[in-house]
Amino acid sequence: MNNINELLDSAINETKELKRGEVFLVRELFKGYEWNRIPKKDRILLGTLFLNYVKEAPDNSVEAIEKTRANQQKYIKK
């Protein structure tokens, strides 16, 4: 499986394909089978790294919004 930095880069690149105003979860940036192949501990780490990227990137076009009932962070494309 890919290392966590490659997964993060893939998720960040996939946000470029989203349209303005679209709401998404990190897992939706991957095909279902790809996401399921990522070990749970790595999915949790990926979520944390993606949130940190969103908060710290100065020219970021993604914003963190509320969480789901399952405590998953939701994002919106600005």
Side-chain angles (χ1 to χ4, degrees), residues 42-73:
D42 289 343
R43 293 192 305 236
I44 293 168
L45 177 58
L46 178 60
T48 302
L49 293 173
F50 189 83
L51 179 60
N52 289 340
Y53 165 78
V54 166
K55 288 181 176 180
E56 296 175 9
D59 59 344
N60 199 352
S61 63
V62 175
E63 180 181 349
I65 53 176
E66 79 272 2
K67 290 191 171 192
T68 66
R69 285 194 224 178
N71 202 34
Q72 295 173 318
Q73 183 65 56

Side-chain angles (χ1 to χ4, degrees), residues 30-43:
F30 296 88
K31 293 179 182 172
Y33 66 89
E34 290 175 335
W35 181 255
N36 292 333
R37 291 178 184 169
I38 302 170
K40 185 174 182 179
K41 65 179 183 63
D42 289 343
R43 293 192 305 236

Side-chain angles (χ1 to χ4, degrees), residues 5-20:
N5 290 324
E6 289 173 345
L7 293 170
L8 179 60
D9 289 342
S10 176
I12 291 167
N13 287 333
E14 193 64 27
T15 62
K16 296 172 185 171
E17 302 300 321
L18 299 172
K19 294 181 180 160
R20 189 174 190 193

